[in-house]
Amino acid sequence: MRTFDIITDSGCDMPEAFFKEHGVAKVNLGFTMNNVNYEGEGGEHIEPQDFYAQLQNGAMPTTYQVTGEMAKGYMEKSLEKGNDLLVLTFSSGLSGTSGSFQVAARELSKQYPKLKIKVVDSLCASMGQGLLLYYVVKKADGGASIEETAKYAEDLKLHICHHFTVDNLFHLKRGGRVSTATAIVGSILKIKPIMHVNDEGKLIAIGKAMGRKKSLHTLVDNLMGTKDMDENDPIFISHGDCIEDVEYVKGLLKEHMPNAEIYVNYVGPVIGAHSGCGTLAIFNKGTHR
C-alpha cells in the first residue's frame, strides 16, 4: 500500500490510462503552435495524430517548461491534504522543469515542515522517464517508504537505457543537435543517427546507420547489448507517428525475447516538437546507458 503521493510531468509520454490506474498526478508541459497554446496550464488539448499531421504540414512548434509557480500549485494539492510527496521529473539535461520543481520543493518545505517532499531528477526522457516511473510506482505500491522509494529511483535511473533514431535530421538541426551541413548531407545519403540519453540526461549521438531499416536493427542490437532484465521487466517503445516501424521493431525484439512484455505509446508533442515525425525509441532496464 502506497503511503505518499507521486507526481510526474508529461515528459514521460505515458498513456493517460496509466495515471488513472495508478493514481499518479501529471503536470503537462506546454507548447505553442500556429499561435495557439497547447497542453500546458490553460492550454488546449491536441491528439498526437493531429499534432504530427500539423508537423508534416510544416508547423513549427515551440515548447516551454513548467515554471516554479506551476509546480508549486500542483504540489500543494497533495500537501494540503497532509500527504508526503515524491516528484519524478523530466531530465534536467533537457529541460529546466526539474529545477522548477526543486525550487518549489524548497519553498513548500518551509510552509509544510512536518511533511516530506522528495524531488528526483530522472535524467530520462520520453518513455525512459515512463519506465522509471513504472518501477517507482511498483516499489511504492509494495509498501516502500518515501525515503526508500526515492533512493530506489536514484539508484535505478542510470540503468534506464534509451535507444532511438529519427527519420528527419532537420528537427535535430532546429534544436542545435546537428549542424545544417550534417542535416543536408545526412538527408541526401539517408544517414540515420543512433542516439541515446547519457548519464547527464543529455541527448547525444553514439553512431549512425545507412537507411531506416538498418537504424531499427541497430536499436535492437544496442538494447540486447545493454539489457539487464528478468521475465517481469517490460520494454517500452515510443514513436513519432510511425506505427509500421514500431511493429517491425516489435518483431525483431520478439525474435530475441519471445515472452517480453512490450508497451507502446506516442512520443508526446513537447518532445516530438524537437525530434520530429518518424522518431522511434526503445527503453529497457540495463547494466549501463
Side-chain angles (χ1 to χ4, degrees):
M1 173 120 182
R2 194 186 309 170
T3 60
F4 53 90
D5 287 354
I6 298 175
I7 293 178
T8 192
D9 57 67
S10 61
C12 68
D13 289 341
M14 292 292 275
E16 289 299 323
F18 179 88
F19 301 105
K20 294 176 182 177
E21 180 180 350
H22 296 285
V24 174
K26 179 186 64 167
V27 181
N28 284 325
L29 307 179
F31 66 100
T32 300
M33 184 170 63
N34 297 330
N35 297 316
V36 178
N37 291 329
Y38 290 97
E39 299 299 346
E41 194 168 39
E44 295 187 18
H45 175 67
I46 186 170
E47 293 295 329
Q49 300 95 320
D50 296 333
F51 167 77
Y52 284 105
Q54 293 198 42
L55 216 58
Q56 288 277 26
N57 289 330
M60 304 281 280
T62 56
T63 60
Y64 53 90
Q65 68 190 47
V66 171
T67 66
E69 281 304 307
M70 287 170 60
K72 189 175 178 180
Y74 277 91
M75 295 167 74
E76 277 196 297
K77 293 177 183 178
S78 290
L79 302 173
E80 287 171 349
K81 298 174 186 175
N83 297 339
D84 295 332
L85 180 62
L86 174 66
V87 183
L88 185 69
T89 74
F90 186 33
S91 173
S92 62
L94 297 169
S95 169
T97 291
S98 187
S100 295
F101 276 109
Q102 294 281 3
V103 169
R106 286 194 291 271
E107 293 181 7
L108 289 168
S109 292
K110 297 173 184 176
Q111 294 177 231
Y112 300 88
K114 294 183 179 180
L115 295 178
K116 299 167 185 174
I117 306 172
K118 302 288 185 181
V119 179
V120 176
D121 175 4
S122 74
L123 298 178
C124 296
S126 190
M127 288 185 82
Q129 180 183 342
L131 183 57
L132 181 59
L133 176 66
Y134 166 90
Y135 286 116
V136 164
V137 167
K138 284 188 69 174
K139 184 74 171 179
D141 288 352
S145 69
I146 189 170
E147 293 90 352
E148 291 169 335
T149 305
K151 184 181 185 304
Y152 173 77
E154 293 286 0
D155 292 343
L156 179 62
K157 66 186 184 183
L158 295 185
H159 294 277
I160 301 297
C161 302
H162 302 56
H163 319 271
F164 71 97
T165 188
V166 299
D167 200 37
N168 186 332
L169 286 164
F170 285 97
H171 280 279
L172 292 182
K173 181 193 79 69
R174 282 182 56 206
R177 304 295 177 184
V178 300
S179 68
T180 301
T182 297
I184 293 172
V185 173
S187 296
I188 292 171
L189 298 179
K190 301 187 184 304
I191 295 173
K192 307 300 180 184
I194 306 300
M195 310 185 81
H196 85 152
V197 173
N198 67 8
D199 285 354
E200 297 177 350
K202 296 179 179 179
L203 176 64
I204 64 168
I206 56 172
K208 57 188 177 182
M210 297 295 292
R212 179 69 165 179
K213 281 289 194 294
K214 179 62 176 175
S215 72
L216 302 181
H217 279 267
T218 302
L219 297 185
V220 173
D221 290 343
N222 288 354
L223 180 149
M224 296 304 299
T226 63
K227 72 181 180 70
D228 181 18
M229 302 163 57
D230 62 34
E231 60 182 11
N232 296 316
D233 289 315
I235 296 169
F236 283 10
I237 301 177
S238 61
H239 67 99
D241 203 27
C242 53
I243 195 64
E244 289 184 4
D245 288 336
V246 170
E247 293 302 320
Y248 184 77
V249 167
K250 285 173 66 177
L252 296 177
L253 290 168
K254 287 293 188 179
E255 290 177 8
H256 295 283
M257 295 176 288
N259 297 320
E261 289 288 340
I262 301 174
Y263 297 92
V264 178
N265 200 30
Y266 278 89
V267 174
V270 169
I271 295 176
H274 299 282
S275 58
C277 302
T279 299
L280 195 144
I282 54 180
F283 310 92
N284 65 285
K285 183 160 73 73
T287 56
H288 64 281
R289 288 193 177 180

